[in-house]
Amino acid sequence: MILALQGAPKPAPVAQPPAVLEPAPGNPVAVISTSMGDITVELFKDRAPVSVENFLRYVTEGFYPGTIFHRVVKGFVVQGGGYLPGMVEKPTHDPIQNEATNGLKNVRGTLAMARTQTLRSATSQFYINVSNNSALDHRGYTPSDFGYAVFGRVLSGMDVIDKIAATPTGTKGDHEDVPVTPVVINKVSVVKAQ
């Protein structure tokens, strides 16, 4: 039996590395390499098959390299995948089905399809939730309640997302919340196929 000595100094806590999340079996994993660091994401093929297939199509076609995170709102979301520096919009495929009814929530670290007010308008753009954003979840079938389709989550690299979210922004043309220094997507690669 070992007795603790009163007044003995306690050992300093050892810093633990961030927990590494594991993807569900069968779900693809991709790395989004940006000018601020890498973000590894799991794609929920099992819960959002249309959105995942759409994202992977753009990845396979080499669409994302050179695009930017063009909308950065601290404490809310970082959005990218549709514009080049200078806010030049890239041509896309037709919009996809909105899978917001899949039961997945817009919580911190999830990826979701960006869209306009039109329910089926999502193409290449996606956003990553910086906070829990329940206002973006599916709550009903009216246009204002339908929500935004979550299709993945960050496995590692939330520190990169937080750095992007903290970058200074301004207005460029008709666009608000545009990073002053472009945050560029250099490459998106699938590291674990479906």
Side-chain angles (χ1 to χ4, degrees):
M1 180 179 197
I2 300 174
L3 299 174
L5 297 175
Q6 284 189 341
K10 293 181 180 176
V14 177
Q16 296 293 320
V20 176
L21 301 173
E22 291 294 326
N27 279 349
V29 174
V31 176
I32 304 168
S33 298
T34 78
S35 55
M36 294 185 82
D38 289 354
I39 306 148
T40 302
V41 297
E42 173 185 3
L43 304 173
F44 297 142
K45 177 188 169 196
D46 52 341
R47 302 283 297 274
V50 173
S51 301
V52 168
E53 183 180 325
N54 176 71
F55 180 79
L56 291 174
R57 178 184 188 185
Y58 284 106
V59 170
T60 302
E61 292 175 352
F63 179 89
Y64 290 118
T67 61
I68 58 171
F69 281 97
H70 65 274
R71 181 171 176 246
V72 170
V73 184
K74 190 173 185 176
F76 183 47
V77 301
V78 299
Q79 180 178 333
Y83 289 88
L84 297 168
M87 296 307 294
V88 176
E89 190 169 7
K90 289 188 76 170
T92 62
H93 296 293
D94 291 338
I96 61 168
Q97 173 188 341
N98 186 332
E99 295 179 296
T101 58
N102 63 16
L104 297 171
K105 304 294 185 191
N106 280 273
V107 295
R108 175 174 162 80
T110 54
L111 275 74
M113 294 302 302
R115 63 172 175 83
T116 65
Q117 293 302 314
T118 304
L119 293 185
R120 297 184 94 183
S121 57
T123 55
S124 66
Q125 291 184 39
F126 60 91
Y127 64 88
I128 299 171
N129 286 289
V130 177
S131 300
N132 295 336
N133 293 313
S134 60
L136 303 178
D137 292 340
H138 175 72
R139 299 182 310 279
Y141 289 89
T142 65
S144 60
D145 290 335
F146 199 84
Y148 295 77
V150 171
F151 71 98
R153 66 173 176 156
V154 174
L155 296 176
S156 65
M158 272 310 290
D159 57 329
V160 176
I161 296 300
D162 289 334
K163 277 195 293 186
I164 294 170
T167 195
T169 60
T171 302
K172 194 153 200 162
D174 295 336
H175 301 274
E176 297 177 350
D177 307 309
V178 180
V180 174
T181 301
V183 180
V184 180
I185 296 174
N186 297 320
K187 181 178 167 187
V188 180
S189 51
V190 176
V191 293
K192 179 185 164 214
Q194 36 194 340

